[in-house]
């Protein structure tokens, strides 16, 4: 009944900022819900068992900043992660208490732009673990479909992908400029899409550790990205067919009529510009063949001096930044080499302190490298659909089998018929 909510709560002094249902345990007799708040607390609710509410970080001893994102760990009943505007990420156990005093931590591991700490305690208590990731707010995170990897996007403009169990950095990417606000994995776990303050959507290959495409269609920050799991991914590419019948068998290969490339992936984005964009990632973008005529993607060196049409002036201006020495190739390292720890320690240097290793990347130095290729170095996608669908900035995007769901800052939740 859309006129009568299952549950309604009014909070004073703090606002809900994010939430997540536990899909793994959801049943007729239990609907576990996490809600994060602007003052830093996280509430656990069960919408069926009304008396099971718990509040974590109630005294704000763990973190005083806004909860930016909460998520249950895949296929677990009790464990969840909460990220904060402090740039910290905490692992909680819903069955364990928070301590009466501020937690003390031991450093477990650290690397390029991150540190991981365990809570010092004789008895189990929350938080179990604490990550310090990047610089500025940790805006969003997402688990890979197999649950093994965690992709985080931060206000420092970096996407960092961690192997969750070992807490090691698997890969990294830098926005064109500004912070990254949202992140999503492809249904097969091969690609990660991000959106942010550079008004672009960026497609990053997990296996190759490199940016494979960018999409320009938004006129402001991109707040939400989501893959459509019901379109494209299951299709197999069709072989090229001859243009005529059997009598043309002796025609040279260039007479083959090539089918339009199969839609390998489809994803959507929603932004502060109130626009919804739909994108297709096709085989010709993911696996470019040099012998084929160039598609409408700006990959050739001939385009290097020409700003891409329709790009904001700030983007085309950025192309004139000096190219750092020794970064001629935009291709990433082979899959088994993590691309991130490029500026590793020289022998004899002491490891930096926990705070020191959370430094901001110098944008001028990474532009034109595998971390952040120039605009003309990767294919530039155009949206399949780009439509203004709200009066206020869009904040949520979700693909369901029968419709697309969006929500905006005004508080309107809308369902849309799928195209076609």
């Amino acid at each position: 009944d859309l006129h009568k909510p299952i549950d309604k709560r009014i909070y004073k002094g703090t606002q809900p900022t994010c939430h997540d249902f536990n899909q793994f345990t959801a049943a007729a007799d239990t609907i576990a819900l996490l809600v994060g708040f602007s003052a830093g607390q996280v509430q656990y609710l069960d919408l069926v068992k009304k008396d099971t509410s718990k509040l974590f970080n109630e005294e704000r001893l763990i973190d005083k900043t806004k909860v930016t994102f909460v998520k249950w760990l895949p296929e677990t009943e009790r464990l969840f992660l909460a990220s904060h505007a402090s740039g910290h990420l905490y692992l909680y156990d819903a069955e364990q208490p928070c301590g009466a005093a501020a937690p003390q931590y031991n450093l477990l591991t650290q690397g390029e732009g991150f540190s991981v700490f365990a809570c010092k305690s004789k008895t189990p208590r929350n938080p179990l673990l604490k990550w310090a990731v990047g610089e500025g707010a940790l805006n969003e995170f997402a688990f890979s479909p197999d649950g093994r990897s965690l992709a985080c996007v931060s206000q420092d403009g970096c996407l960092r992908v961690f192997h969750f169990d070992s807490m090691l950095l698997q890969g990294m990417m830098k926005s064109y400029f500004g912070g990254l606000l949202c992140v999503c994995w492809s249904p097969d776990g091969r690609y990660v899409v991000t959106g942010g303050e550079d008004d672009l959507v960026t497609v990053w290959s997990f296996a190759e550790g490199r940016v494979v495409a960018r999409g320009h269609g938004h006129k402001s920050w991109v707040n939400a990205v989501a893959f459509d799991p019901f379109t494209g991914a299951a299709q197999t590419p069709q072989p090229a067919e001859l243009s005529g019948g059997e009598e043309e068998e002796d025609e040279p290969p260039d007479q083959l009529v090539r089918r339009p490339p199969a839609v390998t992936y489809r994803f959507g984005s929603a932004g502060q510009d109130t626009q919804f964009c739909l994108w297709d990632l096709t085989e010709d973008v993911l696996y470019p063949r040099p012998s084929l005529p160039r598609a409408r993607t700006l990959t050739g060196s001939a385009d290097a001096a020409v700003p891409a049409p329709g790009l904001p002036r700030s983007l085309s201006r950025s192309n004139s930044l000096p190219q750092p020495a020794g970064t001629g190739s935009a291709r990433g390292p082979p899959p088994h080499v993590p691309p991130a720890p490029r500026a590793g320690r020289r022998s004899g240097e002491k490891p930096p302190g926990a705070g020191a290793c959370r430094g901001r990347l110098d944008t001028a130095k990474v532009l034109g490298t595998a971390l952040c290729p120039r605009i003309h170095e990767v294919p530039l996608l155009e949206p399949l659909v780009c439509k203004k669908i709200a009066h206020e900035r869009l904040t949520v995007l979700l693909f369901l089998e029968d419709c697309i769901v969006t929500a905006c800052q005004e508080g309107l939740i809308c369902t849309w018929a799928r195209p076609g």
Side-chain angles (χ1 to χ4, degrees), residues 12 22 24 64 78 80 126 130 148 170 190 216 232-233 246 265 269 285 287 296 299 301 308-309 311 353 357 386 411:
K12 292 178 180 173
N22 192 333
F24 180 65
K64 289 182 165 59
R78 298 167 37 168
F80 66 89
N126 288 312
K130 166 184 162 183
R148 292 180 185 173
Q170 291 179 294
R190 294 180 67 176
H216 179 60
E246 291 177 4
Y265 302 91
S269 58
V285 170
Y287 315 109
R296 278 187 306 161
T299 52
S301 55
L311 278 179
C357 73
C386 196

Side-chain angles (χ1 to χ4, degrees), residues 307-345:
L311 278 179
R313 284 175 58 202
S314 54
L315 278 188
S316 45
R317 261 208 315 277
S318 302
N319 284 340
S320 61
L321 283 169
Q323 175 111 350
T327 55
S329 168
R331 287 177 303 180
H336 57 275
V337 181
R342 194 174 314 283
R345 297 202 305 273

Side-chain angles (χ1 to χ4, degrees), residues 58-101:
E58 184 173 6
E59 304 298 325
R60 302 169 70 221
L61 298 170
I62 295 168
D63 201 305
K64 289 182 165 59
T65 64
K66 176 178 87 170
V67 181
T68 54
F69 207 67
V70 286
K71 200 84 186 157
W72 291 98
L73 262 62
E75 301 191 357
T76 58
E77 295 181 22
R78 298 167 37 168
L79 299 175
F80 66 89
L81 284 174
S83 63
H84 287 255
S86 59
H88 294 152
L89 177 70
Y90 300 92
L91 176 66
Y92 285 88
D93 181 338
E95 299 296 318
Q96 298 295 346
C98 296

Side-chain angles (χ1 to χ4, degrees), residues 245-329:
E246 291 177 4
E247 70 274 12
E248 294 185 40
E249 277 183 0
D250 296 324
E251 289 283 298
D254 59 335
Q255 295 299 313
L256 291 176
V257 173
R258 306 206 175 270
R259 289 171 180 254
V263 177
T264 316
Y265 302 91
R266 177 169 288 174
F267 64 94
S269 58
Q272 305 243 22
D273 56 2
T274 70
Q275 290 198 124
F276 164 71
C277 291
L278 204 55
W279 312 84
D280 274 357
L281 253 185
T282 50
E283 286 203 309
D284 59 336
V285 170
L286 297 175
Y287 315 109
R289 294 178 191 156
S291 56
L292 294 183
R294 239 179 344 109
R296 278 187 306 161
T297 51
L298 302 168
T299 52
S301 55
D303 297 313
V306 185
L311 278 179
R313 284 175 58 202
S314 54
L315 278 188
S316 45
R317 261 208 315 277
S318 302
N319 284 340
S320 61
L321 283 169
Q323 175 111 350
T327 55
S329 168

Side-chain angles (χ1 to χ4, degrees), residues 353-414:
C357 73
R358 293 184 65 201
R360 184 183 291 273
L361 281 177
D362 185 345
T363 305
K365 286 182 184 169
V366 297
L367 188 70
T369 68
L371 276 180
C372 180
R374 296 165 188 274
I375 281 291
H376 61 263
E377 288 174 343
V378 292
L380 197 65
L381 305 176
E382 293 180 10
L384 196 69
V385 171
C386 196
K387 191 168 174 62
K388 179 180 165 70
I389 59 168
H391 294 294
E392 291 288 337
R393 64 188 68 168
L394 292 162
T395 53
V396 176
L397 173 62
L398 187 63
F399 286 92
L400 301 180
E401 202 162 0
D402 56 344
C403 64
I404 300 169
V405 182
T406 61
C408 70
Q409 199 76 26
E410 205 174 358
L412 293 176
I413 300 169
C414 299

Side-chain angles (χ1 to χ4, degrees), residues 93-373:
D93 181 338
E95 299 296 318
Q96 298 295 346
C98 296
Q104 303 291 311
Y105 298 101
N106 283 324
L107 178 66
L108 283 183
T109 183
Q110 62 183 32
E112 174 116 350
F114 76 97
S115 308
V116 187
F117 305 86
C119 191
K120 273 190 210 171
S121 178
K122 289 174 182 166
T123 56
R125 55 174 265 192
N126 288 312
L128 308 180
L129 292 174
K130 166 184 162 183
W131 280 258
V133 181
E135 190 173 296
L138 202 172
N139 290 321
E140 199 171 295
F141 58 87
F143 280 97
S144 59
D146 63 8
R148 292 180 185 173
S149 298
L150 182 72
C152 301
V153 288
S154 302
Q155 199 55 41
D156 61 4
C158 286
L159 160 75
R160 293 176 177 88
V161 180
F162 298 93
H163 183 265
F164 188 69
D165 288 341
S166 68
M167 298 171 286
L168 293 175
L169 191 63
Q170 291 179 294
M172 195 169 162
M173 183 271 286
K174 175 80 173 66
S175 69
Y176 211 73
F177 56 81
L180 289 176
L181 305 176
C182 50
V183 61
C184 182
W185 289 82
S186 63
D188 59 5
R190 294 180 67 176
Y191 298 95
V192 177
V193 167
T194 66
E197 295 175 0
D198 53 9
D199 304 358
L200 299 169
V201 292
T202 303
V203 184
W204 184 78
S205 166
F206 178 55
E208 298 172 79
R210 68 180 184 95
V211 175
V212 291
R214 290 192 180 101
H216 179 60
H218 287 282
K219 299 181 178 69
S220 188
W221 297 358
V222 180
N223 283 339
V225 284
F227 272 90
D228 180 354
F230 306 101
T231 303
Q235 294 181 7
T236 50
Q238 298 293 323
E241 285 197 348
L242 289 171
S243 56
E246 291 177 4
E247 70 274 12
E248 294 185 40
E249 277 183 0
D250 296 324
E251 289 283 298
D254 59 335
Q255 295 299 313
L256 291 176
V257 173
R258 306 206 175 270
R259 289 171 180 254
V263 177
T264 316
Y265 302 91
R266 177 169 288 174
F267 64 94
S269 58
Q272 305 243 22
D273 56 2
T274 70
Q275 290 198 124
F276 164 71
C277 291
L278 204 55
W279 312 84
D280 274 357
L281 253 185
T282 50
E283 286 203 309
D284 59 336
V285 170
L286 297 175
Y287 315 109
R289 294 178 191 156
S291 56
L292 294 183
R294 239 179 344 109
R296 278 187 306 161
T297 51
L298 302 168
T299 52
S301 55
D303 297 313
V306 185
L311 278 179
R313 284 175 58 202
S314 54
L315 278 188
S316 45
R317 261 208 315 277
S318 302
N319 284 340
S320 61
L321 283 169
Q323 175 111 350
T327 55
S329 168
R331 287 177 303 180
H336 57 275
V337 181
R342 194 174 314 283
R345 297 202 305 273
R346 297 182 189 89
S347 56
E349 281 186 1
K350 291 180 182 174
C357 73
R358 293 184 65 201
R360 184 183 291 273
L361 281 177
D362 185 345
T363 305
K365 286 182 184 169
V366 297
L367 188 70
T369 68
L371 276 180
C372 180

